[in-house]
Amino acid sequence: KAGVTQTPRYLIKTRGQQVTLSCSPISGHRSVSWYQQTPGQGLQFLFEYFSETQRNKGNFPGRFSGRQFSNSRSEMNVSTLELGDSALYLCASSLLPESYEQYFGPGTRLTVT
Amino acid sequence: GQNIDQPTEMTATEGAIVQINCTYQTSGFNGLFWYQQHAGEAPTFLSYNVLDGLEEKGRFSSFLSRSKGYSYLLLKELQMKDSASYLCAVRGTGKLIFGQGTTLQVKP
């Protein structure tokens, strides 16, 4: 069974630009969560999607948004990029939101210059 | 507020036993998780506790005391490949909140 895939793996953007990251969950998994990981803040929850609906949202500004498609694939978008948005963005999938086992993708390393 | 505390760094010797502690204060409690993350890689699931007590899985065990807001991860027969960051996470009301992680260095 293929694991969680994230594209692109690496990205360099300039301040003020916007970026879209993609996540394909494990086949059959319907819940997708997004996290931001930085050396200073650790792993922080961004949002969780299930059945194309956002179920939970972390404490991030409105510049961070996401969506989920009918095939459970998810995208997250960051607009008006800031230097502080440089981070590893991780996507995790599970069968259901209540499932205790989440499987993480390899992440997208975003660098904002 | 919501807070998860764990030591920043620990060092142990190959073959030894190490215990990584985690204390938490969260709004609601729906389970405590431990993840292992090697440098440059994604976190991988190690264990899940929702009831008090010890869960054993091979060389790894995890303990939970909900009344004390406390958990620990016990690693036995340490191997060099166990050198990694260990993340404690709590599922509160909906979302998963992670601690900063404990970097474990296993020395020969």
Side-chain angles (χ1 to χ4, degrees):
Chain A
K1 192 188 260 191
V4 179
T5 57
Q6 291 187 244
T7 56
R9 292 293 312 279
Y10 302 91
L11 204 50
I12 299 175
K13 289 284 188 180
T14 305
R15 269 184 304 177
Q17 288 185 312
Q18 76 162 17
V19 67
T20 299
L21 311 181
S22 181
C23 170
S24 292
I26 291 172
S27 178
H29 284 196
R30 296 168 57 196
S31 178
V32 173
S33 297
W34 287 90
Y35 299 88
Q36 181 196 65
Q37 188 173 34
T38 59
Q41 300 295 322
L43 251 170
Q44 292 188 287
F45 173 79
L46 280 157
F47 20 66
E48 177 187 35
Y49 287 90
F50 176 69
S51 292
E52 302 177 65
T53 303
Q54 187 180 90
R55 294 186 79 244
N56 288 292
K57 190 177 191 308
N59 298 323
F60 280 81
R63 301 184 297 108
F64 290 81
S65 63
R67 58 177 175 168
Q68 186 181 36
F69 302 94
S70 58
N71 61 358
S72 296
R73 190 178 71 86
S74 177
E75 287 182 348
M76 67 163 281
N77 184 278
V78 189
S79 62
T80 320
L81 283 166
E82 300 177 0
L83 294 179
D85 296 334
S86 293
L88 180 67
Y89 290 88
L90 291 161
C91 160
S93 80
S94 58
L95 276 170
L96 299 169
E98 299 79 20
S99 301
Y100 67 84
E101 202 157 342
Q102 273 191 335
Y103 296 85
F104 282 84
T108 294
R109 172 74 63 187
L110 172 65
T111 302
V112 182
T113 61
Chain B
Q2 306 196 90
N3 194 49
I4 298 178
D5 285 318
Q6 49 181 131
T8 305
E9 294 178 343
M10 296 183 73
T11 302
T13 305
E14 192 176 14
I17 299 173
V18 71
Q19 177 174 312
I20 303 174
N21 296 323
C22 170
T23 57
Y24 64 89
Q25 286 180 302
T26 55
S27 302
F29 179 84
N30 288 294
L32 186 140
F33 302 76
W34 284 96
Y35 286 85
Q36 179 191 59
Q37 187 176 26
H38 285 100
E41 298 182 12
T44 55
F45 171 82
L46 285 178
S47 69
Y48 169 72
N49 295 69
V50 67
L51 299 175
D52 290 354
L54 189 69
E55 293 282 341
E56 296 185 82
K57 193 188 287 188
R59 295 189 298 115
F60 291 43
S61 304
S62 57
F63 172 84
L64 174 67
S65 169
R66 289 172 296 171
S67 61
K68 295 181 179 177
Y70 168 71
S71 173
Y72 67 73
L73 179 69
L74 193 71
L75 292 77
K76 303 175 187 175
E77 301 168 16
L78 280 173
Q79 301 175 9
M80 298 299 292
K81 68 178 182 180
D82 297 330
S83 292
S85 182
Y86 291 85
L87 307 171
C88 172
V90 175
R91 186 187 297 281
T93 41
K95 55 189 181 182
L96 201 57
I97 302 161
F98 280 83
Q100 292 277 47
T102 299
T103 299
L104 172 67
Q105 186 179 15
V106 180
K107 294 186 173 179

